[in-house]
Amino acid sequence: MPSRERTRAAGIASDPGPRSTDHGPLGGRHERPDARAKVAGSTRFVADLALPGMLHAALAVSPVPSARLAGLELAAARAVDGVEAVLTAADIPGKNQVGVVFPDQPLLVEDRVRMVGDRFALVAARTPEAAWEAARLVRPLLEELSAVHDPVAALRPGAPPLHEGGNLIRTFKVVRGDVTRERARADVVVEAEYQIGGQEHAYLEPQACLAIPEARERITIITSCQCPFYVQKAVARVLGLPLAAVRVEQAPTGGGFGGKEDYPSEPAACVAVLAFATGKPVRLVLPRELDMQASTKRHTVVVRHRWGADRDGQLCFAEVETVMDAGAYIGLSTVVAERANASSIGPYRVPAVRVATHVAYTNNLFGGAFRGFGAPQVTWAAEATMDKLARRLRMDPLELRRRNVLDDRRRTTSTGQRLPGPVLASECLDRAAALAGWDEFRARSQANSGPVREGMGIGLVLYGCNLHHGGQRLDRSSAVVILQPDGSVVVRVGLTEMGQGNLAAAQTIAAQALGVDPAVVQVWQPDTTTVGDSGPTVASRGAHMSGLAILDAIRRLRTRLDPVAAELLGCRADEVELAGSLASVRGSPERTVPVAQVASEMAARRIEAIATGWHRTRPRRFDPETGIGAPYEFYAIACQIARVKVDSELGLIRVEEVSAAHDVGRVIHRDAMEGQIQGGIVQGMGWAISEELKLDHGRLANPSFTDYTIPTAADAPKVRITVVESEGASGPFGAKGVGEPSLIPTAAAVRNAVCDALGVEIDRLPLTPPTVVAALGDRHPFAWLLSERRVDEHERLATVDRDG
Amino acid sequence: MAERVTVTLTLNGERRTFEVPPGRRLLDLLRDDAGLTGSKEGCGAGECGACTVLLDGVPVTSCLVLAASADGHEVVTVEGLLQAGRLHPFQDSLVTRGGVQCGFCTPGIAVTGAAILARGEADPSEQARLLSGNLCRCTGYTKVIEALQDSFAKGGHAKS
């Protein structure tokens, strides 16, 4: 195969990197431990598990977004052949409550419907067909109530309140410096309002879980999820059980992206209630349409900006006001808003900052966790505004960013936090620009008058790794390491594999620290009875938090292993080194004994060969009132540059290439790291241009992959990657998370590239063809044909139902 | 008892007979009657490709095929790509080139990719087009196409 062709379509990473070496597997490309079973089709997802006598669950849900529930007629549902239970709120043994941070969300509706997809009743039957048929026959007696579908309107006086206390859930702020003074100093000021649409996770495996009851005393839940400890708490609450009586085992999980952070607690609570009522195992697999309708989404937001700079391009002030559409329940919305709020300014030095982030209830789709967690929306807005400033200043957008990014000398963020470690914003900008050929592209006189136009744009992000200060109590992790008598190693961590490569990362870290081949290390998915609560697998914290807990466990294991090795080697315990599957004497590498022999000797002597490990993040100062302080422990920076072609007649966008420079600290597993970046870019591109949540009075009008279009192999751009490695990050071997920084800048880079190609500003995401055509206005090639009215029509079609 | 139809097909090289309701989908026959759970259901509407199998050598979404219509035909599932317990060359390349993440779309991708190799299609753009009926939300497709190229370079098309 000619290499040129391969590179063109396959987008080979620029840095081939080492395979696993004598220095250990760190940073190599050894096989992922889960790959062979998955590729052979032998990995058992929840839908592949069945038990004798197992029942199938189905949900009866609301078709309307706002109503009073006067009653339920269940006789027809109960009469369906094969149905064993039809349950309502009154049948829940514990609390009818599944809110993850705030108790505003019942598992089953008692009297008030607040969103399409709210559950009325649970069904268990001997076949899935019977269960869903019965669910369809549940007849709710509804008195429809007025609904609100615009988050801004929801905050106005007189809007119909969803809950007691009104629709404003909370406002977060950052207040720093003297905006009035700085505004007077600014030579250019950009004001904008950005309408940023949400996103569906579109994990390929729908939500699924299986409950196995033991009398009415204990229960095992096997579930596709990111956060088994969330599920454990939710199930314990609805069943009225102590946490220790609820065992949650994470099944292999077919994609998460945040969509399996908070939401899986709901289906798990459903099957748990059915399993307790029937005494039988119960499995639920959501049909795709219901999954897309009822599960959480990336938040739809409106962001208003007023940013100013002096004539040299130095930012003077930034004012940001964001309204987030939480949907009908808080879920994780306040936590998402906390991150959006802290991320609003990006990696820039701004003397005066005012940020306000409001979270509003509406009767729309349920907002929740999604890769980036509020940061992608505010980053999109910030990067759009930076390009607008550059155009006003007639300055190269790359140069404007270079002049304003944080660096080693000026490292204080918009929240007043001094960044730890090397600050690599300029490095990422320059590396991405070199990879993309930024200067050459801009120097080339682009033939940008024809129907197909080319453009290039930048997206830059400063991502706070791990949990926000507000979630610090959850920011700890647990690991268990067992050295088997044959020298193989069992590792358990409390963080989950959902495709991102946490098993590979944990395996690599354990193998590196024990000096053994990764192939002898088996990492098993978590189960709440085998490891401590490690918080959620989110915030790009998986490899970091599991890695540090594993290193702690291995440190403790070595207090027992090293003396045995030392005896076999005839040296002191503090002289033992582990590498290349051998224990050796420091300074005398020829004196060795296989690690496996040490393991066997430990077993023979009945020495404890199991160790636990723990890690918690360092406490930080942060003032939630002013937003000032250290919201995050440390940060990762990423710059992506997109090159696009835009058909200006049809408004179609083709993303040709994305060049990505990522500050990852230290690479743990190179294929997994690249896979995160490549996948994040394509998911971010989908959000940027094609993935539109079309709402019809709170109902998702396009709940299918035909109508909600995620990128295919034919849409994928060429991706070039360069990693900026550095010393000093606090993660395992200095690694930083990459899962979310991979997605966050993409949509911004695409937006800026499209605007560069067309010479217009587009302040609405996604950039669907009608949005692009509408933005061109009288610059559209056929503007003379398209009357004002018809362009309005395009606009209306693009946004129909956003406001109901 | 409801009406049943007899379906006799060659499944992964073995002649098998099933008695199924007339409306049964091929995907359910494979997963529930034959116990081959490698084919996944991601949408039930022929959109995602996770249930792709080969019907007389051609990739089809088995959620849209009636089991009865497979009567007399040859079906190969992801399980049938393995020969004597060894992975198909494309499956092997997916593993070694990092083309597997969550793994839910992977069986369908393995089946479609095997068909692309069998067809001798070497052009990566055309390979990407042929794979566009198989959605993957994790990988961004880069390493999947690299794996196709890799197995093609190793002669996987000749062996499949």
Side-chain angles (χ1 to χ4, degrees):
Chain A
M1 185 53 39
S3 62
R4 180 188 57 80
E5 274 196 31
R6 269 192 52 169
T7 307
R8 183 170 60 80
I12 303 288
S14 59
D15 174 9
R19 299 198 72 87
S20 303
T21 65
D22 291 345
H23 305 295
L26 194 72
R29 292 187 187 275
H30 50 278
E31 286 180 21
R32 283 174 59 130
D34 48 343
R36 282 191 179 265
K38 284 174 172 175
V39 82
S42 58
T43 298
R44 296 271 171 171
F45 294 87
V46 172
D48 306 329
L49 303 174
L51 290 169
M54 182 182 83
L55 301 176
H56 300 268
L59 314 175
V61 302
S62 176
V64 299
S66 183
R68 187 171 317 286
L69 179 66
L72 287 167
E73 289 181 5
L74 305 173
R78 288 187 166 138
V80 172
D81 187 31
V83 167
E84 299 213 355
V86 180
L87 306 180
T88 66
D91 301 311
I92 295 173
K95 286 202 176 90
N96 180 19
Q97 184 52 243
V98 288
V100 58
V101 296
F102 188 81
D104 66 346
Q105 187 187 4
L107 178 67
L108 296 178
V109 173
E110 291 179 8
D111 53 5
R112 174 82 194 268
V113 171
R114 298 183 180 89
M115 64 177 268
V116 175
D118 265 349
R119 291 166 293 263
F120 297 131
L122 308 173
V123 179
R126 288 193 286 275
T127 65
E129 292 78 11
W132 288 104
E133 175 61 14
R136 267 190 298 277
L137 293 173
V138 168
R139 257 200 66 204
L141 305 173
L142 296 171
E143 298 157 15
E144 284 206 51
L145 300 172
S146 59
V148 59
H149 297 296
D150 175 345
V152 177
L155 296 180
R156 292 194 191 115
L162 275 89
H163 299 265
E164 278 176 38
N167 293 331
L168 177 62
I169 296 168
R170 207 169 147 185
T171 294
F172 295 90
K173 287 182 178 172
V174 182
V175 182
R176 189 159 175 271
D178 186 339
V179 165
T180 312
R181 194 186 68 203
E182 291 294 329
R183 201 188 294 136
R185 200 169 67 77
D187 296 307
V188 293
V189 173
V190 161
E191 293 190 45
E193 179 175 305
Y194 301 107
Q195 305 273 349
I196 303 171
Q199 188 178 19
E200 156 62 26
H201 304 86
Y203 32 69
L204 264 286
E205 181 205 19
Q207 302 276 348
C209 52
L210 167 62
I212 307 164
E214 293 177 39
R216 283 180 170 243
E217 292 175 358
R218 338 202 281 183
I219 194 164
T220 297
I221 305 282
I222 303 174
T223 173
S224 173
C225 73
Q226 295 174 225
C227 308
F229 302 98
Y230 283 7
V231 173
Q232 181 193 25
K233 286 187 197 78
V235 168
R237 187 163 46 187
V238 296
L239 295 183
L241 290 178
L243 290 170
V246 179
R247 172 183 173 210
V248 178
E249 183 185 323
Q250 188 225 358
T253 295
F257 316 109
K260 292 176 185 168
E261 176 179 358
D262 35 347
Y263 188 76
S265 297
E266 298 182 33
C270 294
V271 290
V273 169
L274 286 166
F276 256 35
T278 60
K280 295 179 181 178
V282 180
R283 190 180 76 193
L284 174 65
V285 180
L286 283 192
R288 179 61 64 178
E289 182 179 338
L290 179 58
D291 186 303
M292 288 178 86
Q293 173 65 57
S295 68
T296 53
K297 302 284 169 282
R298 188 186 299 290
H299 291 81
T300 296
V301 308
V302 179
V303 186
R304 293 198 192 92
H305 269 195
R306 183 157 57 169
W307 290 34
D310 66 19
R311 64 176 59 82
D312 294 330
Q314 297 290 340
L315 290 168
C316 301
F317 73 97
E319 293 173 276
V320 181
E321 185 170 22
T322 298
V323 179
M324 291 182 44
D325 183 349
Y329 304 102
I330 293 177
L332 286 168
S333 290
T334 48
V335 191
V336 174
E338 213 167 32
R339 181 177 284 276
N341 190 61
S343 309
S344 293
I345 307 298
Y348 302 115
R349 288 177 280 112
V350 190
V353 172
R354 286 279 181 285
V355 182
T357 308
H358 314 287
V359 194
Y361 281 127
T362 70
N363 298 98
N364 291 337
L365 301 172
F366 189 12
F370 196 140
R371 198 176 198 172
F373 213 69
Q377 295 96 319
V378 295
T379 300
W380 195 84
E383 292 300 280
T385 291
M386 287 301 280
D387 265 33
K388 288 179 186 202
L389 282 168
R391 260 189 284 281
R392 290 279 300 279
L393 291 157
R394 298 182 185 284
M395 191 179 283
D396 178 341
L398 178 67
E399 179 58 26
L400 178 67
R401 286 172 174 79
R402 278 197 189 115
R403 289 185 187 193
N404 287 285
V405 288
L406 301 165
D407 58 27
D408 283 338
R409 286 182 302 111
R410 295 160 298 182
R411 52 172 64 232
T412 304
T413 67
S414 58
T415 71
Q417 180 178 7
R418 267 182 66 78
L419 289 177
V423 182
L424 296 164
S426 283
E427 185 78 13
C428 286
L429 273 173
D430 292 345
R431 295 269 290 267
L435 212 53
W438 175 268
D439 291 336
E440 298 81 347
F441 182 87
R442 289 182 68 83
R444 218 161 65 209
S445 65
Q446 291 138 41
N448 255 355
S449 53
V452 177
R453 300 179 193 172
E454 246 186 318
M456 201 177 261
I458 304 176
L460 184 65
V461 63
L462 175 71
Y463 181 79
C465 296
N466 296 1
L467 303 180
H468 188 279
H469 178 273
Q472 262 194 130
R473 69 189 189 289
L474 301 178
D475 224 353
R476 75 297 199 214
S477 67
S478 163
V480 177
V481 174
I482 310 172
L483 183 60
Q484 304 288 337
D486 63 357
S488 63
V489 181
V490 166
V491 174
R492 290 265 192 183
V493 291
L495 292 125
T496 55
E497 168 70 50
M498 56 185 122
Q500 86 281 35
N502 202 54
L503 294 177
Q507 182 195 49
T508 306
I509 290 163
Q512 183 78 22
L514 280 170
V516 298
D517 191 285
V520 307
V521 178
Q522 296 289 337
V523 187
W524 294 83
Q525 308 228 133
D527 165 334
T528 55
T529 64
T530 59
V531 281
D533 188 339
S534 302
T537 305
V538 302
S540 306
R541 69 191 283 274
H544 178 102
M545 295 298 288
S546 42
L548 290 175
I550 289 167
L551 293 180
D552 187 47
I554 290 174
R555 185 184 55 74
R556 295 189 204 186
L557 181 66
R558 287 193 63 177
T559 63
R560 299 187 286 273
L561 183 151
D562 287 8
V564 176
E567 234 184 281
L568 296 174
L569 289 162
C571 67
R572 293 197 320 270
D574 63 4
E575 292 175 312
V576 172
E577 285 186 331
L578 303 177
S581 302
L582 299 171
S584 63
V585 183
R586 184 175 306 111
S588 308
E590 73 291 348
R591 290 163 63 195
T592 64
V593 57
V595 174
Q597 193 182 325
V598 182
S600 145
E601 187 64 24
M602 285 176 76
R605 298 188 192 183
R606 293 174 294 151
I607 290 173
E608 185 183 2
I610 177 168
T612 60
W614 192 256
H615 177 69
R616 56 181 171 167
T617 53
R618 286 186 293 268
R620 322 181 274 282
R621 287 176 193 280
F622 182 78
D623 176 355
E625 289 305 311
T626 59
I628 299 302
Y632 298 100
E633 187 182 19
F634 64 100
Y635 293 79
I637 289 171
C639 178
Q640 294 177 359
I641 296 183
R643 182 167 61 77
V644 303
K645 282 187 177 160
V646 188
D647 182 322
S648 61
E649 292 172 4
L650 300 174
L652 288 169
I653 297 163
R654 164 89 202 167
V655 181
E656 295 277 320
E657 187 176 293
V658 177
S659 302
H662 284 256
D663 152 36
V664 299
R666 188 81 178 268
V667 178
I668 295 174
H669 188 285
R670 201 162 294 268
D671 276 334
M673 181 271 301
E674 288 171 357
Q676 282 292 285
I677 294 173
Q678 291 157 345
I681 284 171
V682 170
Q683 195 171 39
M685 180 192 84
W687 181 53
I689 65 177
S690 69
E691 297 181 27
E692 184 173 26
L693 296 171
K694 294 181 182 167
L695 278 187
D696 175 7
H697 296 86
R699 193 181 64 84
L700 185 64
N702 55 338
S704 72
F705 290 138
T706 296
D707 297 322
Y708 181 87
T709 48
I710 68 172
T712 71
D715 303 318
K718 174 180 169 183
V719 175
R720 298 170 185 267
I721 299 168
T722 177
V723 291
V724 182
E725 291 192 271
S726 62
E727 301 290 328
S730 59
F733 303 107
K736 295 182 182 183
V738 73
E740 290 163 291
S742 63
L743 175 139
I744 300 168
T746 311
V750 169
R751 181 261 175 212
N752 287 342
V754 171
C755 294
D756 175 53
L758 299 177
V760 297
E761 299 293 351
I762 303 179
D763 294 347
R764 179 185 288 277
L765 174 152
L767 280 67
T768 57
T771 297
V772 172
V773 168
L776 277 168
D778 59 10
R779 300 171 73 167
H780 188 271
F782 297 148
W784 54 276
L785 263 176
L786 292 166
S787 69
E788 195 66 29
R789 197 183 58 76
R790 294 211 30 186
V791 173
D792 284 350
E793 182 71 6
H794 273 288
E795 173 86 356
R796 199 186 64 76
L797 286 172
T799 62
V800 72
D801 308 325
R802 193 183 298 278
D803 308 318
Chain B
M1 202 62 202
E3 192 193 344
R4 298 252 156 184
V5 294
T6 303
V7 180
T8 301
L9 70 168
T10 306
L11 180 54
N12 296 334
E14 193 187 333
R15 199 176 154 79
R16 300 279 303 269
T17 297
F18 300 90
E19 302 286 326
V20 299
R24 196 145 182 84
R25 306 177 304 172
L26 177 57
L27 176 60
D28 299 322
L29 179 149
L30 296 171
R31 289 176 53 84
D32 298 339
D33 301 328
L36 296 171
T37 55
S39 306
K40 306 302 179 193
E41 179 163 1
C43 69
E47 297 169 331
C48 76
C51 66
T52 303
V53 299
L54 299 178
L55 183 63
D56 297 334
V58 177
V60 295
T61 46
S62 61
C63 71
L64 292 189
V65 175
L66 282 176
S69 71
D71 184 53
H73 294 271
E74 189 186 346
V75 172
V76 175
T77 68
V78 65
E79 290 91 347
L81 293 181
L82 279 79
Q83 304 224 319
R86 288 175 60 91
L87 294 179
H88 180 280
F90 176 50
Q91 290 175 307
D92 194 61
S93 294
L94 280 170
V95 172
T96 56
R97 301 304 294 252
V100 178
Q101 290 195 26
C102 87
F104 198 80
C105 73
T106 307
I109 284 189
V111 168
T112 303
I116 292 171
L117 282 176
R119 180 171 156 158
E121 183 53 68
D123 175 62
S125 301
E126 188 58 15
Q127 289 175 343
R129 192 184 68 77
L130 292 169
L131 256 179
S132 64
N134 290 83
L135 298 177
C136 169
R137 194 58 154 169
C138 294
T139 63
Y141 305 103
T142 297
K143 289 184 186 292
V144 173
I145 300 292
E146 281 179 14
L148 259 180
Q149 294 285 301
D150 183 59
S151 48
F152 201 94
K154 289 176 180 162
H157 56 297
K159 292 177 203 153
S160 54

